[in-house]
Amino acid sequence: MTRFRPCIDLHSGQVKQIVGGTLTDDSTALKTNHVSTQPSGHFAKLYRDNEISGAHVIMLGPGNEDAAKEALAAWPNGLQVGGGINDENAAQWINWGAEKVIVTSYLFPNAIFSIERLASVLHALDDDENKLVIDLSCRKKGDKWFVAMNKWQTITDTEISKHTIKGFEPFCSEFLIHAADNEGLQQGIDEDLIRNLAEWCTKPVTYAGGSRRIEDLDRVEEISGGKVDLTIGSALDIFGGSGVKFEDCVAWNRGKNKAT
């Protein structure tokens, strides 16, 4: 069954909601939907108290480690952490309290996938795929999707397809997919991508990007057969949005939990 998966996006040490396609090294180009006055720990406690599991904490660039650690301290072993994860620090983040680590850019040196690097990260986690989430966030080229790295600005040579998903699955416990072209715009989800993810993935997968109303949870469940979870960010009232109430997302998950 489709569930709501929350997020804590960190930029320059603050909890923010940004337009994904504007996240570059040029700070003047950044478009921000919301900068929270609350620290990361506030949101971690909120998710913990409402039993909203599977949240991802994403460090968007440098200067976010302390904020990420604060979130982990508020909910030890309850959050996933990504952003700058590699074979040298993956185990450290687990020791700091992450339930799982999320890896993307490190797997694509010079924008080319490296199976050696993926194996190295997994080995650093004692070869426990249950501790690893692979982030295959992507941008669309024509009618295909390609993994995007380095704040979603560099498009790699790796197309998201049934073949590539099958190759990644033995190394991880789940996937996180941001549709970077949709991220932060609140202009609708990428239904074609969601349908394909439901068909291609045999492990849990969370989609993020473009959600703008609570009914999107119904829609994702319908088109994915309940196989894809949904992250809602900028539209949420706790992040300054007006499209979705956090309490409605909590109620959705509780309803699904009762059904199971």
Side-chain angles (χ1 to χ4, degrees), residues 168-190:
F168 283 122
E169 285 193 331
F171 295 87
C172 67
S173 60
E174 59 183 279
F175 294 102
L176 173 62
I177 316 283
H178 289 86
D181 295 316
N182 300 60
E183 183 74 14
L185 295 176
Q186 300 181 61
Q187 294 180 356
I189 56 178
D190 188 332

Side-chain angles (χ1 to χ4, degrees), residues 6 8 41-53 55 71-76 78-79 246 254:
I8 302 175
H42 164 82
F43 295 98
K45 292 175 184 175
L46 182 67
Y47 302 155
R48 180 199 66 195
D49 293 347
N50 286 280
E51 301 178 324
I52 305 293
S53 60
L72 296 181
W75 193 3
L79 303 168
F246 177 73
R254 287 177 177 167

Side-chain angles (χ1 to χ4, degrees), residues 4-5 38 81 118 125 195 197 199 208 218 226 248 259:
F4 162 70
R5 295 276 204 115
Q38 298 286 354
V81 174
L118 177 54
L125 298 170
R195 285 191 188 93
L197 293 173
E199 177 185 346
D218 292 290
D248 290 340

Side-chain angles (χ1 to χ4, degrees), residues 19 25 31 40 76 87 93 103 115 140 144 148 150 189 192-193 202 211 218 222 230 238 253 258 260:
V19 178
D25 292 330
K31 293 183 179 179
S40 60
D87 59 352
W93 280 105
V103 64
I115 185 68
K140 197 169 186 179
K144 299 179 180 179
N150 291 336
I189 56 178
D192 291 335
L193 177 57
T202 63
S211 185
D218 292 290
E222 177 186 353
L230 177 66
I238 61 173
N253 279 15
K258 288 181 180 179
T260 57

Side-chain angles (χ1 to χ4, degrees), residues 7 10 21-22 28 30 71 74 77 79 81 86 99 105-107 111 121 123 133 136 149 180 200 211 234 240 253:
C7 63
L10 301 173
T22 69
T28 63
L30 182 70
N77 302 312
L79 303 168
V81 174
N86 56 44
E99 177 193 16
S105 296
Y106 179 70
L107 304 182
V121 173
H123 184 66
V133 178
L136 297 179
M149 54 179 277
W200 297 337
S211 185
S234 293
N253 279 15

Side-chain angles (χ1 to χ4, degrees), residues 5-217:
R5 295 276 204 115
C7 63
I8 302 175
D9 292 344
L10 301 173
H11 182 261
S12 298
Q14 294 177 290
V15 178
K16 297 183 182 181
Q17 286 294 309
I18 63 174
V19 178
T22 69
L23 186 63
T24 68
D25 292 330
D26 179 7
S27 60
T28 63
L30 182 70
K31 293 183 179 179
T32 303
N33 288 329
H34 180 71
V35 179
S36 179
T37 58
Q38 298 286 354
S40 60
H42 164 82
F43 295 98
K45 292 175 184 175
L46 182 67
Y47 302 155
R48 180 199 66 195
D49 293 347
N50 286 280
E51 301 178 324
I52 305 293
S53 60
H56 49 268
V57 179
I58 304 296
M59 297 178 285
L60 299 169
N64 295 303
E65 283 199 2
D66 289 344
K69 291 177 186 177
E70 178 183 338
L72 296 181
W75 193 3
N77 302 312
L79 303 168
Q80 304 172 4
V81 174
I85 301 298
N86 56 44
D87 59 352
E88 295 183 353
N89 63 19
Q92 182 64 72
W93 280 105
I94 296 294
N95 292 335
W96 283 333
E99 177 193 16
K100 303 180 182 185
V101 291
I102 306 167
V103 64
T104 312
S105 296
Y106 179 70
L107 304 182
F108 297 90
N110 300 313
I112 299 173
F113 172 64
S114 167
I115 185 68
E116 292 81 11
R117 286 197 173 192
L118 177 54
S120 180
V121 173
L122 186 59
H123 184 66
L125 298 170
D126 298 321
D127 294 313
D128 185 355
E129 67 271 15
N130 292 315
K131 296 177 181 177
L132 185 61
V133 178
I134 296 179
D135 184 337
L136 297 179
S137 296
C138 59
R139 306 195 81 153
K140 197 169 186 179
K141 293 173 64 177
D143 60 351
K144 299 179 180 179
W145 296 268
F146 289 83
V147 176
M149 54 179 277
N150 291 336
K151 305 172 187 173
W152 305 322
Q153 295 305 307
T154 301
I155 300 178
T156 73
D157 68 337
T158 300
E159 178 188 349
I160 297 182
S161 66
K162 184 176 182 178
H163 174 73
T164 54
I165 292 289
K166 185 178 181 180
F168 283 122
E169 285 193 331
F171 295 87
C172 67
S173 60
E174 59 183 279
F175 294 102
L176 173 62
I177 316 283
H178 289 86
D181 295 316
N182 300 60
E183 183 74 14
L185 295 176
Q186 300 181 61
Q187 294 180 356
I189 56 178
D190 188 332
E191 294 193 1
D192 291 335
L193 177 57
I194 292 169
R195 285 191 188 93
N196 285 328
L197 293 173
E199 177 185 346
W200 297 337
C201 299
T202 63
K203 292 195 173 182
V205 55
T206 298
Y207 167 91
S211 185
R212 54 189 172 181
R213 54 195 178 191
I214 191 67
E215 289 81 10
D216 285 335
L217 282 163

